[in-house]
Every structure is written in structure tokens, then in C-alpha cells.
Amino acid sequence: MKYIDIEHWSRKEHFQFFSRRTFPFYNITLPLDVTNLYKRVKEDGLSFYYAMTYIVTNVMSGIEDFRYKIRNDGVVIVDRLHPSFVTFDETTHLLKIIDIEITPGMDLSSFCAAASKAEREMTSHFSTSESSVRDDFVYISCTPWFSFTSMSHAADCNPNDSAPRIAWGKFEWKDGKVTIPFNVQLNHRLLDGYHVHLLMEGIENFIQGYQEKIS
């Protein structure tokens, strides 16, 4: 982790402009083609939800701008991001939130195994550790029961909140393709629409690389 020299930061003017907003957040919902990923994870016996959680977090970690975090009156860049994701209890119909550290070298299969283990072993619904307020988290959820065209996320109206929020919805099959509605909520002080493009492009490239690797 290191502090950014805001005075010489290329984003200084934009950061200051959006800092005048009491609610500097925006969200975008896009269709995402996951046909190849869906087929491959099913063949490998992996959870699509865990796989997408891993992919989204790793792609964000690979884009420097997503690692910018607002702390007090400054901006830092963290080393990497980790997922904090919602799971669903089929018995109680209540959600719980799982926090996972993605360690260097952890591949998709290892992450899926770690996520499954963490979900089985977690007895509370919410993390009771200080990790629950870490700004190096990506908050991830899913609504597998329905699709959507827009979404908002629960959050404090704190303009310093730097954690991306991601959600996707129900699979949609059409013309041999599988798509999901994919939602991103970001802080405009740090990230613009172009960065959503980089994220979507990175996810698509990861899916293509994963397909080619195991073909």
C-alpha cells in the first residue's frame, strides 16, 4: 500500500470535481455473455458463482484504478483486492456474507474449494471481524431467481466509500447463448465509465483464456 501524490496525480481535477458531490456513486447494468464459462465450469464440476466471484475480483486487481482507495483526505493504492460475497441458506432463506483472501498463485479451482469450505464452516450470517470494513474488498452478490435491468446496493452514504459493488442475475438462454445481467456500482471520484469498459473487457478475456487453457 502506498499513498498517491494527489497534487501530481493525473486524476486530480476529476477527483476534486466529484468530491463536491454528497453522493458520488453511479451504477451500470450490462448484459454479459457467459456461454463459454458456464459450459466449462459445469464440465469441471465448479460453482459458477464462485468462478465469477474469482474472475471479477482478479480482473479488478489487475486494473490499477480499481485498487485506488480513499482514506481520510488522501488516496492510497492497495496491493490487491479480495471478495466479500453473499451466499444463501436454502433452509432459512437468509443470506450470509463470506470473506475470502485471494493469495498469490491461487487459481480458480483452489478458490472455489476455499469458498465452498468457508461457506460450510461459517456459522454466523455476518463477519464479526474488523475485516468487514476493509476497503480492499469487492462486494459481490447474485439474484439467481430473476433477471433485472438495473439495481442499487445497500451502502452508507459516505463519499469516501471506495469498495466496488457487483451483482448479476438469472441466466438467460437465447439462440444458444447464456447471458446474465451484470451490475457495477462505483465511486466516480475514482472510476469512470471507461473503467467499466476495462472491467468488462478483462472479464471477457479471462473467460476466453480459461476456455482455451482447458480445451
Side-chain angles (χ1 to χ4, degrees):
M1 183 204 77
K2 64 178 181 181
Y3 274 89
I4 300 295
D5 181 358
I6 294 180
E7 287 302 312
H8 297 92
W9 189 24
S10 61
R11 193 175 177 80
K12 173 187 174 182
E13 186 177 1
H14 295 73
F15 178 77
Q16 293 176 338
F17 176 82
F18 288 109
S19 292
R20 295 196 291 271
R21 275 52 180 175
T22 57
F23 190 84
F25 308 101
Y26 69 97
N27 73 64
I28 298 174
T29 301
L30 300 164
L32 177 63
D33 185 341
V34 294
T35 308
N36 294 330
L37 178 64
Y38 179 84
K39 291 178 179 177
R40 292 301 179 176
V41 295
K42 294 304 177 183
E43 290 172 2
D44 284 358
L46 301 176
S47 160
F48 178 88
Y49 182 51
Y50 293 159
M52 272 294 295
T53 296
Y54 174 88
I55 292 168
V56 168
T57 307
N58 272 278
V59 170
M60 281 190 177
S61 277
I63 302 171
E64 180 176 302
D65 304 77
F66 280 96
R67 302 201 311 274
Y68 292 144
K69 304 298 169 185
I70 303 166
R71 293 186 181 173
N72 301 316
D73 295 324
V75 177
V76 302
I77 179 168
V78 297
D79 295 331
R80 69 164 302 116
L81 304 175
H82 306 280
S84 178
F85 58 95
V86 173
T87 64
F88 182 70
D89 189 316
E90 295 286 352
T91 302
T92 65
H93 298 167
L94 296 172
L95 63 81
K96 61 182 178 180
I97 297 176
I98 309 294
D99 303 336
I100 295 284
E101 291 268 347
I102 296 184
T103 57
M106 177 182 278
D107 62 15
L108 190 150
S109 295
S110 299
F111 174 82
C112 288
S116 178
K117 182 175 184 290
E119 183 173 358
R120 290 194 310 272
E121 294 180 351
M122 185 171 175
T123 56
S124 61
H125 290 96
F126 303 101
S127 172
T128 56
S129 70
E130 291 187 4
S131 65
S132 60
V133 296
R134 281 169 37 179
D135 59 14
D136 59 349
F137 274 151
V138 179
Y139 295 117
I140 297 174
S141 60
C142 175
T143 62
W145 315 280
F146 55 85
S147 184
F148 54 78
T149 55
S150 66
M151 174 176 283
S152 61
H153 297 258
D156 291 326
C157 290
N158 177 1
N160 287 350
D161 186 344
S162 310
R165 287 167 171 81
I166 303 292
W168 55 88
K170 184 179 179 180
F171 293 120
E172 299 178 337
W173 282 267
K174 186 177 181 180
D175 300 327
K177 291 187 176 182
V178 184
T179 62
I180 53 175
F182 186 85
N183 174 269
V184 186
Q185 181 168 298
L186 302 171
N187 191 323
H188 222 330
R189 297 172 73 188
L190 301 173
L191 297 154
D192 306 317
Y194 174 69
H195 300 105
V196 177
H197 154 70
L198 292 180
L199 172 63
M200 302 303 287
E201 183 180 60
I203 292 171
E204 291 166 357
N205 290 340
F206 193 109
I207 289 174
Q208 181 63 29
Y210 176 57
Q211 179 193 16
E212 293 173 350
K213 183 178 179 179
I214 64 177
S215 294

